[in-house]
Amino acid sequence: MLKSKTFLKKTRAGGVMKIVREHYLRDDIGCGAAGCTACGGAHEGPALEPQPQDPASSLCPQPHYLLPDTNVLLHQIDVLEDPAIRNVIVLQTVLQEVRNRSAPVYKRIRDVTNNQEKHFYTFTNEHHRETYVEQEQGENANDRNDRAIRVAAKWYNEHLKKMSADNQLQVIFITNDRKNKEKAVEEGIPAFTCEEYVKSLTANPELIDRLACLSEEGNEIESGKIIFSEHLPLSKLQQGIKSGTYLQGTFRASRENYLEATVWIHGDNEENKEIILQGLKHLNRAVHEDIVAVELLPKSQWVAPSSVVLHDEGQNEDDVEKEEEREQMSRRHLFTPADKRIPRIRIETRQASTLEGRRIIVAIDGWPRNSRYPNGHFVKNLGDVGEKETETEVLLLEHDVPHQPFSQAVLSFLPKMPWSITEKDMKNREDLRHLCICSVDPPGCTDIDDALHCRELENGNLEVGVHIADVSHFIRPGNALDQESARRGTTVYLCEKRIDMVPELLSSNLCSLKCDVDRLAFSCIWEMNHSAEILKTKFTKSVINSKASLTYAEAQLRIDSANMRDDITTSLRGLNKLAKILKKKRIEKGALTLSSPEVRFHMDSETHDPIDLQTKELRETNSMVEEFMLLANISVAKKIHEEFSEHALLRKHPAPPPSNYEILVKAAKSRNLEIKTDTAKSLAESLDRAESPTFPYLNTLLRILATRCMMQAVYFCSGMDNDFHHYGLASPIYTHFTSPIRRYADVIVHRLLAVAIGADCTYPELTDKHKLADICKNLNYRHKMAQYAQRASVAFHTQLFFKSKGIVSEEAYILFVRKNAIVVLIPKYGLEGTVFFEEKDKPNPRLIYDDEIPSLKIEDTVFHVFDKVKVKIMLDSSNLQHQKIRMSLVEPQIPGISIPPDNISNMNLNGPEKKKMKFEK
Amino acid sequence: MAGLELLSDQGYRVDGRRAGELRKIQARMGVFAQADGSAYIEQGNTKALAVVYGPHEIRGSRARALPDRALVNCQYSSATFSTGERKRRPHGDRKSCEMGLQLRQTFEAAILTQLHPRSQIDIYVQVLQADGGTYAACVNAATLAVLDAGIPMRDFVCACSAGFVDGTALADLSHVEEAAGGPQLALALLPASGQIALLEMDARLHEDHLERVLEAAAQAARDVHTLLDLVVRQHVREASILLGD
């Protein structure tokens, strides 16, 4: 059954080396058609249907399989993913080429292949005795592969005929390469282009929209004017980058000005640089997030970023173009992406009337040199603009949050219900069910991942335990469930929805440390004296039985009430006492207390519309729980770093560069306050001192500003970095251990800790620092995106809120002063907005901007940072796609600019309570 | 770009084999007349030659003689032309010495050395072409050569390597698979009794997986044994025909 064949596979230049590889040809590779007798029993896994009931094709009425070539797979993956397309043979040659050329498409095609219902079959033609072809002299690799594909197609057709004489089954070769198609037809293989085939599927006309338009002929715009210069060939680029004439970087379109973009140069040794690009011609068809090569202009032509806000909306010529096209050919339309950084896209569709006013997904196929906009094709219809579900879907997509329901493969790794703790589970586990453990969480929390206890020991010391849900017990390394949670990285909390990282059975049931049930936990137990000094630390896997699930408010009530003396209350009081000492110690060390406005929506229970906004309230118990979580995280960080100095997953918060603080220092100066920023401690102290008796909210505002100066905290692998310091918490080492249900980082940390204490076994990826670094990179990205998604969700709900509320006037404070606008914060709603002073159709007022003491003089009124103003808030829905909150000035009154105050302005000036920081620790 | 895909979703390796399949093995015994025993083996593109002298009197220092058993002396070398880049030293470097030592350990366990006290058995192995699994090829060649020399052994010693990729154990690694850097295990087995003459592994592998990899290597070694057994029978048949006439 083995045929061996040895041949010279390739020679590599640069010290020419001869590489000899064996290549075995087999005769046991099945054709994939279920029930094929010629190669019976040779196939496993997903197979082709014996009699495919495919959508009727007018070109090919009899049942058939499809066999696409590489380019079809690469470019028309959207079509192939459609449920209507089934029974496709993917050749190994094709798959390898796809793998080399585009990792995302390769991943998608693998997903499709794994889907049983799609009946995709991968045929290993390179190792099949009859379909292997050798590269001929003078034939290049591409031609060889094309030939290999044709040979395989031919073999298939002959093979299927052999199956039974009256078999009508055919294999149709799909290629967009004209020459290849001609050759195939010559050889007697039924071949069509992708377009021909898809158009022939009369039952599924909507598929045509999903075709990527690649053929240049059909799409040329009448005005043959060439707008853009040609892109350089890759070889030239690589040469240029090597020699330093070109710089490679990530293209980032500006949100504010569509004619401007920056390129981030990511050099390895030098600092990251930013290069500005201006003008359509220089942008040369790059789209946001592309990797581009740029050449610097001579210094004389260097420009500064124009601090002007410029949107594409006012472009008349485009609108004209749009209409023209409608008239000429009713199938072509311009698509306006929700993200302003992406240019508009020309698409072709027949369902324009149904798609109007809807959110749709479009893929970009190409950008011809003579077109102002790229060409694309329609992929998916999401729903009506403004619908809550649609908008949520959009913001999830926009922030790349994986939110599809968990696949069967993932769910198959869940424990079977009814679940109970078995003997086996008890191995390496301590029974802590007798302890009086309780959990304290926000109201309505179903994924409880932490619980606490505190009791007095016989020697007078206190025993404090933090018990974290043992998620790593259920998520075993390497399986589909693990991979999916690793990919999601974090649970995303939107205003009315939660996108779970792990399936609900785990997040809200088996892992959730609910009261009065036995749950598996990972415990961190300290012995402390009464001044909160740690005497002993112990980590163990355990079984606990929580005695109570409290909310912050309930816990606070218990602590405060004088006549409650039960175990839970004493435990809470002990914890609270220790937490206060711990917090004091932490602040003495220089931990920062920052602030950011946070709001919570009260939802209507039926319509899920927001009916009221409330800023989050913080109680002692919040800080109590937080204090112990910090302590547990720090203890665990020390332990895993001790045990795995090279591959501990830690979290650091780099100190911001001094220039970041400039704005804070300047703003404080304008109020005659001094902020020291040399160390975290001095910053914390100066923030504490910065109070004004006449202006109590000032301190909060300063803290909000200080938060903006901070760097993003990140996960990293200890072997890849040497700076572990967490600036915000003033801790030399830190990690995340306490929320494994909602963060994947914690799952990894749990595994590391379990190995460190010998409760679980390790696996190769865990001790591979490069793999760990990759995980960290993904986690950091997901966390950032989750945060953005959260903010976007709040913004959307704020809009809904104001839509129902109508126009209101509120008191606000100026946070930043810009050249043509001020950014204000409305404490009541925790809402931030921009008040513009320049409008398109109004005469511009006289604006004088002073950079030194950030201030803006409009006519005769001067605005400083922290000034109190009154603004009117309304919902601007003039742009269907981007509804936004618009604010305009009411007080102080500036003739011609401010708006007369509303009579029905509902002024409610109970300044909200001081809020605490909530940047991700 | 992503690295080489060592095991495709369909279960084929880079060269078209399935996970547990060996490369093609061809072997011959009695290739040199002057030596007491000799053999040549090809395992895929790995080619090795083994020559055995002995048992004979101790050469060199008499002090090395062992009172109760024979001394097994192994020397390993690989031809300068055996790898893609020409080697400088054919033998004497650290890797060759280590390999010699391993071979010695292997054969001390297999040869019935106590039958020849105070004597010496020399095994010389040369790799002509290296394409992964050199140790295994050397052991298999040497086994045939020792058999050819008529030195009594407990059993064949059959060796095979195994690796571990994406949760699957691969038998008989080729050079490409070895170079990918995963764990690699070399096993020399006495197939009849299932005893292990030598087990060596570089790189780390979790003990949970060890059993599977070990089983893959053992199965492959048993497969090697079947093939070597055929070779030996064939050789004996040819020799007996020559003698019989």
Side-chain angles (χ1 to χ4, degrees):
Chain A
M1 94 185 207
L2 278 175
K3 302 248 166 190
S4 113
K5 193 158 198 236
T6 313
F7 68 117
L8 290 178
K9 195 140 190 193
K10 61 178 168 188
T11 54
R12 244 185 291 184
V16 179
M17 208 154 89
K18 195 156 143 193
I19 291 173
V20 185
R21 281 189 195 165
E22 281 180 296
H23 192 97
Y24 288 89
L25 300 182
R26 321 179 58 108
D27 52 12
D28 66 340
I29 299 175
C31 67
C36 170
T37 43
C39 47
H43 26 70
E44 59 231 34
L48 306 162
E49 287 174 295
Q51 285 299 323
Q53 300 301 318
D54 259 352
S57 160
S58 54
L59 278 172
C60 179
Q62 62 269 67
H64 55 268
Y65 300 143
L66 299 179
L67 195 149
D69 77 351
T70 314
N71 282 320
V72 170
L73 214 60
L74 276 175
H75 301 300
Q76 309 290 3
I77 182 80
D78 281 332
V79 175
L80 292 172
E81 275 178 345
D82 192 280
I85 301 283
R86 291 184 306 159
N87 294 301
V88 175
I89 298 159
V90 183
L91 296 181
Q92 184 197 12
T93 318
V94 173
L95 204 60
Q96 287 305 325
E97 276 192 289
V98 168
R99 183 165 183 265
N100 291 340
R101 284 173 53 185
S102 162
V105 175
Y106 178 68
K107 196 185 165 294
R108 282 166 78 181
I109 197 72
R110 267 181 71 168
D111 287 347
V112 173
T113 315
N114 288 334
N115 183 350
Q116 298 280 346
E117 267 142 45
K118 293 281 287 171
H119 296 286
F120 272 48
Y121 178 72
T122 313
F123 180 60
T124 315
N125 64 319
E126 293 286 352
H127 291 290
H128 193 283
R129 195 171 51 176
E130 284 160 54
T131 55
Y132 173 72
V133 295
E134 216 167 328
Q135 191 162 356
E136 279 165 7
Q137 259 230 307
E139 189 180 39
N140 66 23
N142 264 333
D143 290 344
R144 187 210 88 93
N145 285 345
D146 285 345
R147 193 158 60 87
I149 295 167
R150 288 198 306 273
V151 167
K154 195 165 178 186
W155 175 84
Y156 251 107
N157 272 324
E158 278 160 18
H159 179 82
L160 290 177
K161 246 178 232 134
K162 251 188 273 169
M163 220 161 102
S164 67
D166 52 287
N167 202 338
Q168 296 276 308
L169 217 50
Q170 259 191 335
V171 167
I172 295 179
F173 179 45
I174 307 283
T175 178
N176 283 338
D177 182 348
R178 202 178 308 148
K179 258 196 235 141
N180 202 359
K181 191 187 149 196
E182 277 166 17
K183 273 189 196 157
V185 173
E186 243 169 65
E187 287 166 29
I189 308 161
F192 301 112
T193 66
C194 194
E195 214 175 330
E196 281 170 351
Y197 179 76
V198 170
K199 280 189 180 151
S200 76
L201 297 175
T202 38
N204 298 74
E206 75 280 356
L207 267 183
I208 300 168
D209 289 348
R210 300 182 66 162
L211 268 179
C213 38
L214 288 164
S215 47
E216 294 284 306
E217 313 108 273
N219 289 297
E220 250 163 76
I221 311 305
E222 290 67 31
S223 65
K225 198 172 70 183
I226 285 172
I227 307 174
F228 299 105
S229 52
E230 197 155 359
H231 288 148
L232 292 173
L234 190 64
S235 56
K236 236 181 186 173
L237 284 181
Q238 280 164 341
Q239 233 174 31
I241 289 167
K242 232 179 206 169
S243 65
T245 29
Y246 302 141
L247 296 167
Q248 186 183 325
T250 317
F251 182 88
R252 298 197 177 162
S254 157
R255 262 176 222 276
E256 291 171 340
N257 187 341
Y258 75 104
L259 290 176
E260 224 172 64
T262 50
V263 174
W264 278 83
I265 309 298
H266 21 68
D268 341 312
N269 39 12
E270 56 200 311
E271 285 286 286
N272 287 348
K273 276 194 287 188
E274 222 183 345
I275 292 169
I276 183 152
L277 300 177
Q278 261 184 357
L280 273 184
K281 223 178 123 195
H282 287 150
L283 298 180
N284 199 2
R285 292 172 282 167
V287 179
H288 185 66
E289 293 276 286
D290 278 355
I291 303 289
V292 295
V294 288
E295 187 180 7
L296 291 183
L297 291 170
K299 242 184 183 151
S300 56
Q301 294 180 40
W302 286 15
V303 287
S306 53
S307 30
V308 182
V309 181
L310 207 57
H311 292 313
D312 203 355
E313 55 200 355
Q315 275 211 327
N316 291 330
E317 62 178 291
D318 291 323
D319 292 339
V320 174
E321 192 175 4
K322 197 170 169 181
E323 276 164 34
E324 259 176 13
E325 277 179 69
R326 279 240 174 97
E327 282 163 29
Q328 282 166 2
M329 216 177 284
S330 59
R331 280 169 28 220
R332 288 203 190 147
H333 303 276
L334 265 183
F335 162 83
T336 313
D339 189 339
K340 283 193 203 110
R341 292 170 298 189
I342 309 283
R344 295 187 190 177
I345 302 160
R346 226 182 273 283
I347 57 166
E348 224 174 279
T349 177
R350 297 179 179 188
Q351 341 169 32
S353 50
T354 50
L355 292 185
E356 229 171 54
R358 297 219 171 190
R359 295 269 188 196
I360 61 171
I361 300 178
V362 162
I364 298 181
D365 301 322
W367 198 335
R369 286 174 60 198
N370 50 16
S371 160
R372 169 75 178 73
Y373 297 113
N375 293 331
H377 65 272
F378 163 78
V379 178
K380 197 177 165 195
N381 182 353
L382 295 174
D384 284 322
V385 169
E387 282 284 299
K388 212 171 323 149
E389 282 83 53
T390 316
E391 295 301 328
T392 311
E393 177 91 14
V394 168
L395 79 88
L396 289 174
L397 281 170
E398 255 183 329
H399 296 96
D400 193 15
V401 177
H403 60 283
Q404 297 80 11
F406 289 96
S407 69
Q408 274 311 315
V410 171
L411 295 176
S412 70
F413 287 98
L414 290 177
K416 300 281 166 294
M417 292 304 280
W419 175 86
S420 63
I421 297 168
T422 62
E423 264 316 293
K424 217 174 115 216
D425 296 335
M426 289 304 292
K427 212 182 111 198
N428 295 326
R429 230 172 248 286
E430 218 169 295
D431 192 344
L432 301 179
R433 277 176 281 201
H434 57 280
L435 290 179
C436 183
I437 294 168
C438 66
S439 61
V440 184
D441 284 283
C445 176
T446 59
D447 48 349
I448 305 171
D449 38 25
D450 50 78
L452 299 155
H453 87 271
C454 170
R455 63 170 178 174
E456 197 149 338
L457 295 174
E458 278 160 19
N459 58 9
N461 289 334
L462 291 168
E463 182 193 77
V464 177
V466 167
H467 310 274
I468 307 297
D470 191 4
V471 179
S472 63
H473 176 85
F474 296 99
I475 302 184
R476 301 310 299 168
N479 66 27
L481 176 57
D482 180 49
Q483 281 163 5
E484 181 63 22
S485 2
R487 191 170 78 91
R488 296 191 176 210
T490 174
T491 294
V492 182
Y493 294 88
L494 303 182
C495 287
E496 85 298 355
K497 203 174 170 181
R498 188 177 82 195
I499 316 292
D500 276 326
M501 180 184 85
V502 296
E504 199 181 348
L505 176 67
L506 290 183
S507 69
S508 315
N509 189 357
L510 296 185
C511 287
S512 180
L513 303 175
K514 296 190 288 190
C515 59
D516 300 326
V517 278
D518 290 352
R519 287 285 175 254
L520 301 180
F522 208 140
S523 302
C524 172
I525 298 167
W526 301 279
E527 188 177 330
M528 288 185 180
N529 58 19
H530 285 271
S531 47
E533 277 156 3
I534 299 172
L535 305 170
K536 238 191 261 166
T537 311
K538 187 176 88 178
F539 305 101
T540 177
K541 290 220 172 188
S542 60
V543 184
I544 61 161
N545 188 324
S546 168
K547 299 289 179 286
S549 307
L550 307 173
T551 63
Y552 289 122
E554 283 167 7
Q556 189 69 53
L557 270 179
R558 275 173 183 259
I559 292 174
D560 294 342
S561 78
N563 45 14
M564 289 192 80
R565 298 242 177 275
D566 57 305
D567 280 352
I568 296 171
T569 313
T570 12
S571 174
L572 283 172
R573 285 199 188 118
L575 288 168
N576 197 29
K577 206 182 94 201
L578 289 173
K580 276 183 191 159
I581 307 172
L582 284 170
K583 185 167 186 186
K584 209 172 127 229
K585 278 190 194 165
R586 207 160 55 79
I587 288 172
E588 268 166 24
K589 267 197 261 164
L592 296 172
T593 319
L594 300 174
S595 179
S596 65
E598 261 192 80
V599 288
R600 217 191 155 84
F601 289 98
H602 283 278
M603 298 286 183
D604 188 310
S605 54
E606 268 160 35
T607 59
H608 294 288
D609 282 329
I611 37 183
D612 198 8
L613 275 157
Q614 190 191 33
T615 44
K616 273 187 192 162
E617 225 181 312
L618 284 168
R619 294 188 177 79
E620 239 176 19
T621 41
N622 290 51
S623 111
M624 173 188 94
V625 172
E626 191 187 322
E627 225 38 70
F628 283 105
M629 294 306 132
L630 293 180
L631 194 63
N633 285 338
I634 293 170
S635 293
V636 171
K638 278 184 194 147
K639 176 78 181 172
I640 59 171
H641 182 244
E642 206 172 275
E643 205 75 21
F644 302 96
S645 59
E646 280 295 292
H647 33 254
L649 192 153
L650 302 175
R651 188 166 174 86
K652 68 169 175 183
H653 182 215
S659 59
N660 275 21
Y661 285 125
E662 236 168 64
I663 187 155
L664 174 68
V665 174
K666 272 186 193 166
K669 221 176 184 175
S670 68
R671 293 273 157 178
N672 291 325
L673 292 167
E674 193 192 10
I675 300 284
K676 284 201 195 111
T677 60
D678 39 345
T679 62
K681 193 170 157 68
S682 61
L683 174 67
E685 280 169 1
S686 53
L687 275 177
D688 285 341
R689 275 200 308 272
E691 300 235 12
S692 154
T694 52
F695 188 8
Y697 198 61
L698 178 67
N699 192 274
T700 311
L701 284 174
L702 279 171
R703 286 181 199 275
I704 291 173
L705 269 190
T707 313
R708 306 284 161 94
C709 304
M710 293 296 150
M711 306 280 282
Q712 187 69 241
V714 288
Y715 296 110
F716 68 102
C717 166
S718 63
M720 309 288 272
D721 210 327
N722 41 28
D723 171 31
F724 295 178
H725 195 76
H726 197 291
Y727 181 81
L729 296 171
S731 169
I733 190 166
Y734 193 68
T735 192
H736 268 165
F737 168 73
T738 52
S739 303
I741 300 180
R742 59 184 180 89
R743 289 188 305 233
Y744 188 74
D746 303 50
V747 176
I748 296 280
V749 170
H750 273 225
R751 286 181 188 157
L752 286 166
L753 185 63
V755 173
I757 60 167
D760 206 342
C761 66
T762 170
Y763 57 101
E765 282 79 23
L766 192 66
T767 49
D768 181 333
K769 64 178 179 182
H770 296 282
K771 289 236 169 81
L772 211 53
D774 286 346
I775 291 176
C776 290
K777 210 170 131 196
N778 179 47
L779 289 178
N780 289 331
Y781 170 73
R782 293 289 181 206
H783 275 274
K784 199 170 71 192
M785 281 307 161
Q787 242 177 28
Y788 290 162
Q790 247 153 295
R791 273 184 225 160
S793 173
V794 169
F796 174 68
H797 280 83
T798 316
Q799 283 168 23
L800 284 185
F801 174 68
F802 283 107
K803 199 175 181 179
S804 58
K805 196 135 198 203
I807 299 165
V808 282
S809 289
E810 284 297 345
E811 197 149 300
Y813 295 100
I814 299 179
L815 265 189
F816 301 104
V817 176
R818 298 264 187 259
K819 260 187 191 168
N820 59 350
I822 51 171
V823 180
V824 297
L825 175 84
I826 300 161
K828 190 181 171 197
Y829 302 120
L831 178 71
E832 209 180 302
T834 313
V835 180
F836 288 98
F837 294 117
E838 277 172 344
E839 270 173 77
K840 279 202 189 74
D841 27 331
K842 277 191 196 164
N844 281 353
R846 192 159 46 84
L847 299 175
I848 301 161
Y849 175 69
D850 186 354
D851 191 34
E852 272 315 299
I853 352 153
S855 69
L856 182 69
K857 192 171 175 188
I858 304 160
E859 302 294 335
D860 296 320
T861 321
V862 187
F863 290 96
H864 287 107
V865 176
F866 302 143
D867 279 351
K868 197 192 230 180
V869 291
K870 203 182 265 181
V871 291
K872 191 147 94 175
I873 312 162
M874 57 197 146
L875 190 69
D876 177 10
S877 15
S878 58
N879 184 341
L880 193 64
Q881 175 113 239
H882 301 280
Q883 289 193 341
K884 54 189 168 198
I885 303 243
R886 173 163 295 212
M887 294 189 186
S888 32
L889 198 65
V890 178
E891 252 178 36
Q893 290 182 19
I894 306 170
I897 291 171
S898 64
I899 308 175
D902 239 44
N903 299 334
I904 32 151
S905 63
N906 42 348
M907 294 275 115
N908 184 1
L909 289 177
N910 306 336
E913 291 161 60
K914 241 190 216 175
K915 275 151 278 120
K916 246 200 49 199
M917 70 166 164
K918 183 66 189 217
F919 71 99
E920 271 268 299
K921 274 178 192 150
Chain B
M1 203 221 91
L4 214 58
E5 191 178 39
L6 290 181
L7 190 69
S8 75
D9 287 349
Q10 291 72 46
Y12 296 106
R13 289 155 68 173
V14 179
D15 52 11
R17 287 184 288 156
R18 284 183 185 280
E21 286 173 352
L22 296 175
R23 290 175 289 178
K24 185 170 178 148
I25 293 183
Q26 281 178 309
R28 242 171 68 204
M29 292 167 73
V31 280
F32 302 119
Q34 273 114 330
D36 292 326
S38 59
Y40 169 74
I41 196 165
E42 283 184 12
Q43 286 187 261
N45 279 332
T46 304
K47 297 170 186 175
L49 203 54
V51 178
V52 171
Y53 292 94
H56 53 72
E57 271 187 41
I58 297 274
R59 301 238 167 89
S61 156
R62 290 249 153 211
R64 284 165 64 216
L66 302 165
D68 57 339
R69 57 195 163 98
L71 178 81
V72 179
N73 174 38
C74 289
Q75 223 178 65
Y76 166 91
S77 65
S78 74
T80 51
F81 49 83
S82 63
T83 47
E85 257 169 290
R86 194 180 151 81
K87 282 179 65 151
R88 286 269 170 72
R89 282 171 75 175
H91 56 84
D93 57 338
R94 265 175 68 179
K95 229 182 118 192
S96 305
C97 291
E98 192 194 345
M99 191 72 103
L101 220 61
Q102 285 175 352
L103 285 173
R104 182 175 159 177
Q105 279 176 10
T106 314
F107 281 94
E108 271 177 349
I111 296 174
L112 298 169
T113 47
Q114 68 276 21
L115 295 180
H116 311 282
R118 313 195 137 274
S119 50
Q120 179 178 353
I121 298 166
D122 292 316
I123 302 174
Y124 300 103
V125 192
Q126 181 160 40
V127 170
L128 301 177
Q129 191 172 324
D131 185 31
T134 45
Y135 168 76
C138 288
V139 170
N140 296 335
T143 302
L144 291 178
V146 172
L147 285 170
D148 189 37
I151 298 170
M153 285 209 284
R154 285 192 179 80
D155 191 1
F156 282 71
V157 203
C158 296
C160 197
S161 62
F164 190 68
V165 170
D166 297 338
T168 318
L170 305 183
D172 194 12
L173 301 186
S174 69
H175 176 68
V176 188
E177 289 162 337
E178 278 184 5
Q184 187 198 346
L185 176 138
L187 169 78
L189 191 76
L190 304 178
S193 58
Q195 281 175 310
I196 291 171
L198 186 113
L199 177 65
E200 207 230 352
M201 181 158 75
D202 24 6
R204 295 203 286 194
L205 178 73
H206 192 265
E207 62 173 312
D208 287 4
H209 306 309
L210 181 64
E211 198 143 329
R212 266 194 291 159
V213 182
L214 199 58
E215 183 45 43
Q219 183 53 45
R222 283 194 284 273
D223 292 346
V224 171
H225 173 247
T226 328
L227 289 166
L228 295 189
D229 194 55
L230 279 177
V231 172
V232 173
R233 281 174 201 282
Q234 178 72 22
H235 179 72
V236 171
R237 202 173 302 129
E238 277 167 15
S240 65
I241 290 167
L242 283 175
L243 287 175
D245 281 334

